[in-house]
Amino acid sequence: MLCEQVFGTLHEIDTVGKTVETVDIEWHEAFKKIHRKTTDKGHEVGIRMDDSVLTRGLRQDDVIYVDDNTVVAVNIPPCEAIRAEVRRDHPRQIAKLCYEVGNTHTTMFRGEDDFTFYIPYHEPMMDKLGKIHGVTVEKTTLRFDFDKSLSSTINNHHH
């Protein structure tokens, strides 16, 4: 199977009478043009997207293949993340938090409110952020929402 475009989402495509297969795309792979993957049903797929994927990315439930019998959709698996929360009485620490994360070119996502942020997990970052006065950190698992990205690019670059 060759997948070359996004046809919509699972909520928009008629899947009645069709087998729905999913292909796992890790969050840090979602902005890459070319992939070779295997669906949850064991079928190999080649993914070759145009340049629009470089800015939009592949999203949860994007349909990337449709025929008379089969629909293939993207699954972005949950991953380990750091949940960083700035205390309400220390709002200026938001700048410090953003500086420390941005200085390592690490992707950052908005959380539930203006004081909560999510960062891809790795131990050195967890240690560094845990030392910022007025910031609490915890390890969690979640599916990153690219609409809440605070970064200009999505990458997996760590120092």
Side-chain angles (χ1 to χ4, degrees):
M1 259 180 258
L2 181 60
C3 308
E4 296 183 298
Q5 70 182 75
V6 175
F7 293 93
T9 67
L10 278 177
H11 310 291
E12 301 166 344
I13 302 290
D14 181 16
T15 60
V16 175
K18 297 179 182 180
T19 302
V20 176
E21 300 186 33
T22 59
V23 61
D24 285 351
I25 304 287
E26 298 293 329
W27 74 270
H28 56 86
E29 299 175 316
F31 290 78
K32 294 181 181 177
K33 292 171 55 171
I34 298 173
H35 304 268
R36 184 179 190 93
K37 298 285 184 175
T38 304
T39 70
D40 63 333
K41 305 281 194 275
H43 295 109
E44 283 195 30
V45 294
I47 301 171
R48 185 177 59 207
M49 295 288 158
D50 64 18
D51 287 343
S52 67
V53 78
L54 298 174
T55 53
R56 180 197 180 277
L58 292 171
R59 308 287 178 105
Q60 179 67 31
D61 296 332
D62 275 351
V63 173
I64 57 174
Y65 181 83
V66 179
D67 67 18
D68 293 339
N69 304 310
T70 308
V71 171
V72 176
V74 171
N75 178 53
I76 307 289
C79 64
E80 292 182 330
I82 300 168
R83 181 181 188 274
E85 184 172 359
V86 178
R87 284 185 18 200
R88 304 298 192 264
D89 60 338
H90 286 71
R92 291 184 180 196
Q93 293 300 73
I94 293 172
K96 175 74 171 162
L97 174 69
C98 291
Y99 172 79
E100 293 296 343
V101 173
N103 195 42
T104 61
H105 306 281
T106 301
T107 304
M108 187 172 187
F109 298 86
R110 286 188 314 273
E112 302 81 27
D113 56 38
D114 291 340
F115 293 87
T116 307
F117 303 89
Y118 290 96
I119 301 104
Y121 178 82
H122 67 288
E123 193 64 33
M125 180 66 76
M126 182 89 163
D127 292 342
K128 180 188 294 191
L129 299 182
K131 293 175 183 172
I132 301 174
H133 179 73
V135 176
T136 58
V137 295
E138 67 179 342
K139 186 176 177 181
T140 188
T141 301
L142 62 88
R143 179 178 285 125
F144 287 123
D145 180 353
F146 300 131
D147 290 331
K148 293 184 175 185
S149 173
L150 295 170
S151 306
S152 60
T153 59
I154 302 289
N155 60 54
N156 198 21
H157 177 77
H158 304 295
H159 288 277

